[in-house]
Amino acid sequence: MTRQDLIAALWHGRDPFADPPADLRPADLQGWRSIHPYLEEAVIAVRPRVVIEIGTWKGASALFLARTMAEHDVAGSVIAVDTWLGAVDHWADAALFAELATEHGYPSLYRTFLANVVREGMTDRIVPLPLDSVNAAELLRLRGIAADVIHLDAGHEEASVAADLRAWWPILRPGGLLIADDYDSTGGRFPGVTRAVDAFCAEAGVQGPWSLRGKCKFIKPD
């Protein structure tokens, strides 16, 4: 599917970047492992038409994926799924909570994401989808949109990760690649992520997971 196909399917033809505000926020590409070999390799090896990122934050990794597509002449788009409201850890940690930039009692993080995409010149490669993970997966299912690559970087609790994997697995095409962030076979900061991924891979009988520097990847059987 082209980006215009995605805009038609997800936004009823209304491009969310068509009329950006004049007062863009300054560039702020804060992120974690936003530039990673697994993300670059996924673009080069798979040459995806559709990449879905669940958990986008300020857009750093979505932008890295989009730039890599452009550099390697891959005619694909990144669907960036996020509520831009934060997860449990963003509300529990005072420093992360400040990054939500609340205005009148409501997070305004989407404005930071929007400004980053516009400033980086990647509005023709990225399609935001401001829904929670489960509802976004259902919408894509209803629209018949399949992903070649999925980058999962949403909640960090075991139950949340397990729910995301179950919701998005049907959206990933057979032979497609799933990359999960915050995976650490030694436990790490978010052991629930590792437990959920390992349990899912064992149950689904997939190739992997292979892990490197805080991310893991595995392939959906054909």
Side-chain angles (χ1 to χ4, degrees), residues 25-196:
R25 289 184 176 178
D28 178 2
L29 291 173
Q30 174 223 25
W32 302 269
R33 291 177 296 277
S34 301
I35 298 174
H36 192 281
Y38 279 179
L39 301 179
E40 182 177 30
E41 291 166 7
V43 171
I44 295 170
V46 179
R47 299 189 67 82
R49 297 290 296 185
V50 176
V51 176
I52 300 174
E53 178 170 80
I54 304 104
T56 288
W57 193 239
K58 298 177 182 179
S61 53
L63 284 164
F64 177 68
L65 286 160
R67 284 194 301 269
T68 305
M69 285 178 169
E71 290 166 4
H72 292 274
D73 296 318
V74 176
S77 302
V78 180
I79 301 175
V81 176
D82 206 309
T83 61
W84 285 279
L85 299 177
V88 172
D89 34 324
H90 303 132
W91 286 80
D93 183 297
L96 288 176
F97 179 75
E99 296 288 346
L100 296 177
T102 56
E103 295 178 350
H104 308 292
Y106 202 82
S108 66
L109 185 65
Y110 180 81
R111 288 178 55 199
T112 303
F113 163 83
L114 170 70
N116 287 335
V117 176
V118 172
R119 289 185 183 280
E120 291 288 314
M122 286 293 157
T123 58
D124 61 338
R125 292 270 181 175
I126 295 176
V127 178
L129 186 57
L131 283 172
D132 68 89
S133 175
V134 172
N135 276 294
E138 178 63 11
L139 177 61
L140 267 65
R141 186 192 68 78
L142 289 172
R143 294 293 187 257
I145 298 172
D148 302 297
V149 174
I150 289 178
H151 180 219
L152 179 60
D153 187 14
H156 300 110
E157 304 301 314
E158 183 173 358
S160 173
V161 177
D164 286 337
L165 289 168
R166 288 193 299 270
W168 287 100
W169 196 240
I171 307 301
L172 184 65
R173 67 164 176 81
L177 180 67
L178 194 148
I179 302 167
D181 192 45
D182 296 300
Y183 181 96
D184 186 339
S185 59
T186 65
R189 181 181 176 190
F190 301 110
V193 174
T194 304
R195 289 194 298 268

